[in-house]
Amino acid sequence: MLFLYQAVSTRQFRVLTANWNEPMLNERKKKILQIIIEDYISTAEPVGSRTIARKYDLGISPATIRNEMSDLEMLGYLEQPHTSAGRIPSAQAYRLYVDSLIEPGSITDNDMALINIWFNERYRSIDEIFQSTAKILSRMTQNVSMVLANSDTEVEFKYMKFLPLDERHVILCIITGDGNVDTGIVEIPLGMRPREMDYLAGRISRLLEGRKLSEFNSALLEEVRSDIAGDKVMFASFVQLIRKINSSRRKQRVFLGGTKQLLNQPEFRDVEKVKNLLGILEEEKIVCDLLEADAGSGLKITIGSENKFTGIQDCSMVQATYRLNGRIVGTMAVLGPTRMEYGKVISVIDYLHKYLKIMFQ
């Protein structure tokens, strides 16, 4: 199976560009701006000219750095908090940073080992793979993660079996190729014994094994009706369960990870701000709309007011759309403060894409 991801490196990713004309910045201003952004991402503390002169060997005086910072502030790239003499990056600065200043990130051997162990120990079905992806993504980026799994109508029938429930009923189990098990309660036909039920399940399994559930048409179901020996109740239960499975596959599923991570971020010490953000994340429809927006653009980064949804306009989001055989399978995203480690987030998403590609082949 071909599993495609529309962007595979930091330099190749496509981003949602803002509608502003970037003022010309010389290399020194760009270097100072990059230092301020990366220092602020690391410390969450406003950055002053003396800090830059002390920590970074630029070969220029604090006074020169201060003048350059003043120019950057006039151009809209820096802001000054009321209680600090230092500066912090603006949303415009972060946009320039992710578009042209960020250094390609790489994932460490320890991080790769952690991902390998995590998936090897935890996944059993497609849903569990997506849930594990959300959890490990939030754990490694220290931000909220969101995974949107699109419908999978290409799922295949694997086998069915009956499990005893009581004297008059059994549990009909249908196992699909993605490892999911769907169940329904069936009334036992009058006079049918357990071994006959097992034989019946085996006949139907051999008939349907490998067939895509989306291809279960009336002619195929008629063959099943013949094997069920004309028992209308059991046949109706079987058809109802197949329809239930197909219906569930048409629904998009959302998996979240790391919502508690918000409380660890200085930007979200405001309780009301956290409540508003958590309120958005609790609404599955809103999360689906959020992740579906411009879903065909591969890796996309939106910053601050570029996010169209009220409540996340103080945040940044890095999201990636991935495909299977040319069809969009889903989207994974990281949502956090604009002061997120963009390079780390991009490298983790990139590695997870490659890992999922292997898993789905």
Side-chain angles (χ1 to χ4, degrees):
M1 291 188 293
L2 183 61
F3 190 96
L4 295 178
Y5 177 70
Q6 290 181 299
V8 295
S9 74
T10 303
R11 292 302 181 189
Q12 291 174 322
F13 67 68
R14 294 180 58 193
V15 292
L16 182 68
T17 54
N19 293 320
W20 47 267
N21 294 321
E22 176 189 331
M24 293 297 294
L25 298 179
N26 59 34
E27 291 305 312
R28 188 163 71 184
K29 282 185 172 62
K30 287 182 179 179
K31 184 62 178 179
I32 290 173
L33 182 60
Q34 181 178 355
I35 287 172
I36 293 171
I37 292 172
E38 292 177 353
D39 195 279
Y40 183 64
I41 287 174
S42 175
T43 66
E45 296 291 337
V47 184
S49 57
R50 292 187 181 277
T51 299
I52 296 174
R54 185 178 67 254
K55 292 174 65 174
Y56 306 95
D57 183 16
L58 298 181
I60 54 178
S61 68
T64 301
I65 296 172
R66 189 160 50 249
N67 290 335
E68 296 285 24
M69 290 175 65
S70 295
D71 290 345
L72 289 168
E73 185 176 3
M74 290 180 60
L75 292 170
Y77 290 105
L78 297 180
E79 299 172 350
Q80 182 176 23
H82 296 299
T83 58
S84 172
R87 302 294 191 275
I88 63 174
S90 66
Q92 180 176 316
Y94 287 119
R95 168 50 61 198
L96 177 63
Y97 178 70
V98 299
D99 282 351
S100 59
L101 300 180
I102 193 171
E103 296 294 334
S106 61
I107 191 168
T108 66
D109 290 340
N110 287 339
D111 286 341
M112 286 189 284
L114 177 61
I115 291 175
N116 296 343
I117 293 171
W118 184 276
F119 278 109
N120 288 338
E121 290 182 351
R122 298 176 190 275
Y123 83 86
R124 294 292 182 275
S125 67
I126 295 295
D127 281 1
E128 287 179 330
I129 290 174
F130 287 130
Q131 185 63 72
S132 289
T133 300
K135 288 181 179 179
I136 193 65
L137 185 55
S138 66
R139 178 173 174 175
M140 299 190 72
T141 63
Q142 295 298 299
N143 285 298
V144 174
S145 67
M146 301 174 285
V147 176
L148 175 67
N150 284 348
S151 59
D152 186 9
T153 55
E154 298 303 306
V155 67
E156 295 179 348
F157 185 100
K158 192 170 183 181
Y159 65 92
M160 63 174 280
K161 66 186 300 183
F162 295 107
L163 299 177
L165 181 60
D166 57 38
E167 292 182 356
R168 298 185 56 190
H169 300 89
V170 292
I171 300 173
L172 169 60
C173 303
I174 292 180
I175 295 85
T176 51
D178 59 4
N180 283 320
V181 179
D182 291 272
T183 61
I185 297 175
V186 177
E187 185 175 342
I188 301 174
L190 186 64
M192 185 172 283
R193 297 178 180 180
R195 63 184 180 184
E196 293 176 298
M197 300 284 288
D198 291 339
Y199 176 74
L200 176 61
R203 280 180 59 88
I204 296 175
S205 294
R206 287 189 292 274
L207 173 66
L208 301 178
E209 183 180 7
R211 299 287 191 101
K212 294 175 181 175
L213 268 64
S214 59
E215 298 174 352
F216 275 40
N217 53 30
S218 57
L220 183 58
L221 292 175
E222 192 59 39
E223 293 186 56
V224 175
R225 183 197 294 270
S226 299
D227 274 4
I228 291 179
D231 188 275
K232 294 181 179 180
V233 175
M234 182 176 287
F235 177 73
S237 298
F238 176 82
V239 173
Q240 183 179 10
L241 186 53
I242 291 295
R243 287 174 177 169
K244 173 189 169 186
I245 297 171
N246 274 328
S247 176
S248 68
R249 294 304 190 277
R250 285 193 290 270
K251 294 179 181 177
Q252 292 178 314
R253 287 155 290 165
V254 175
F255 303 90
L256 297 178
T259 52
K260 292 182 181 179
Q261 303 283 6
L262 292 174
L263 303 178
N264 298 326
Q265 301 287 1
E267 290 85 348
F268 297 108
R269 288 174 182 159
D270 184 334
V271 176
E272 288 303 315
K273 183 182 291 187
V274 173
K275 282 183 178 179
N276 291 337
L277 187 51
L278 290 178
I280 289 175
L281 296 176
E282 288 174 357
E283 295 292 333
E284 187 169 313
K285 179 64 168 62
I286 295 178
V287 176
C288 285
D289 291 343
L290 180 65
L291 296 180
E292 279 189 317
D294 197 22
S297 63
L299 187 65
K300 181 179 70 171
I301 301 174
T302 49
I303 299 169
S305 60
E306 294 173 7
N307 292 299
K308 304 304 180 184
F309 290 81
T310 303
I312 64 169
Q313 294 190 338
D314 291 329
C315 301
S316 286
M317 187 169 75
V318 181
Q319 69 180 86
T321 300
Y322 46 101
R323 297 172 178 267
L324 180 63
N325 296 329
R327 180 172 53 87
I328 293 178
V329 175
T331 299
M332 54 182 158
V334 171
L335 180 70
T338 54
R339 189 191 52 83
M340 72 164 60
E341 292 184 75
Y342 294 95
K344 173 78 178 284
V345 172
I346 292 168
S347 65
V348 171
I349 287 179
D350 186 47
Y351 183 77
L352 282 172
H353 142 252
K354 293 173 182 175
Y355 197 95
L356 290 172
K357 176 181 177 182
I358 296 172
M359 292 180 68
F360 280 93
Q361 282 179 336

